[in-house]
């Protein structure tokens, strides 16, 4: 199994645990993403990646809408994405997207796996679950993000960086870089 496939399996398993751990009635709780409830975090991951991959010539099977069944939507989606990673013929396929050209597994790893990793915190914060992220992965994502800061900010997908103390832990620094303030609790969609 390739390194990107293993990384996705590990990171998506943690996100899946958070999806399965959402308490009854908490899917409509606000997330740290402005204007999004917890279910919108799942919907974002499912819908943007489906469209992104379709644009690269890869169709994923459709699950239920996340607005109605976020658990079912995520389970169908993550299994389909893992199957892409696990299929040597598909994962090695060269794809062209609006932001990169490369092997499907490398493109998915850089963009989608990272997004799943970051949104794990959002879903956990929104639903009162364990918010801890793997420190080594935080270091890797932060280093890669700092190297691409101009392009990331220009994309409009990230909020302005939040100021944190210089001695803040790596998770806090990463979240602050992408515009999350760990000192605040979401206040409404």
């Amino acid at each position: 199994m390739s390194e990107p496939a293993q990384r996705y399996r590990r990171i998506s398993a943690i996100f899946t645990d958070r999806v399965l751990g959402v308490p009854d009635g908490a899917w409509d709780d606000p997330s740290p993403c402005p204007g999004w409830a917890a279910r919108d975090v799942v919907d974002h991951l499912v819908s943007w990646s489906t469209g992104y991959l379709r644009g690269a010539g890869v169709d994923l099977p459709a699950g239920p809408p996340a607005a109605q069944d976020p658990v079912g939507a995520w389970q169908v989606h993550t299994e389909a994405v893992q199957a892409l990673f696990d299929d040597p013929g598909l994962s090695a396929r060269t794809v062209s997207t609006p932001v990169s050209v490369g092997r499907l597994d490398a493109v998915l790893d850089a963009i989608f796996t990272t997004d799943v990793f970051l949104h794990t915190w959002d879903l956990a914060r929104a639903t009162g679950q364990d918010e801890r992220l793997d420190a080594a992965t935080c270091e890797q994502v932060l280093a890669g993000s700092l190297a691409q800061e101009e392009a990331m900010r220009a994309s409009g997908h990230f909020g302005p960086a939040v100021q944190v103390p210089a001695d803040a832990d790596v998770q806090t620094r990463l979240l602050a870089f992408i515009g999350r303030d760990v000192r605040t609790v979401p206040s409404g969609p």
Side-chain angles (χ1 to χ4, degrees):
M1 182 182 311
S2 71
E3 186 176 326
Q6 291 174 4
R7 188 174 14 261
Y8 183 74
R9 187 176 309 285
R10 178 176 48 84
I11 288 171
S12 67
I14 296 167
F15 188 80
T16 299
D17 285 345
R18 299 306 175 274
V19 168
L20 296 173
V22 172
D24 287 341
W27 280 110
D28 293 319
D29 289 355
S31 85
C33 304
W36 287 5
R39 76 177 61 250
D40 298 320
V41 174
V42 173
D43 183 59
H44 161 73
L45 290 171
V46 170
S47 59
W48 87 257
S49 59
T50 298
Y52 186 80
L53 287 167
R54 188 176 304 117
V58 178
D59 287 318
L60 294 177
Q68 296 168 358
D69 182 4
V71 173
W74 175 251
Q75 288 177 319
V76 169
H77 188 73
T78 195
E79 289 171 11
V81 170
Q82 188 66 59
L84 292 177
F85 275 115
D86 291 343
D87 183 320
L90 284 174
S91 64
R93 180 175 154 192
T94 299
V95 295
S96 177
T97 71
V99 295
S100 63
V101 174
R103 284 177 53 114
L104 176 61
D105 60 354
V107 170
L108 276 174
D109 185 45
I111 297 172
F112 187 64
T113 302
T114 298
D115 209 34
V116 172
F117 180 74
L118 295 171
H119 284 302
T120 298
W121 183 83
D122 295 321
L123 185 60
R125 172 58 63 103
T127 59
Q129 298 186 68
D130 183 355
E131 299 177 4
R132 290 173 295 170
L133 300 174
D134 177 69
T137 305
C138 285
E139 288 280 2
Q140 292 170 341
V141 172
L142 181 57
S145 298
L146 288 169
Q148 301 176 46
E149 182 170 12
E150 188 175 320
M152 288 176 67
R153 299 280 177 232
S155 76
H157 296 292
F158 299 90
V162 173
Q163 295 298 313
V164 294
D167 64 348
D169 63 79
V170 68
Q171 177 175 316
T172 300
R173 288 184 285 125
L174 171 62
L175 293 168
F177 176 82
I178 64 168
R180 306 295 195 275
D181 189 340
V182 301
R183 300 167 295 187
T184 62
V185 175
S187 60

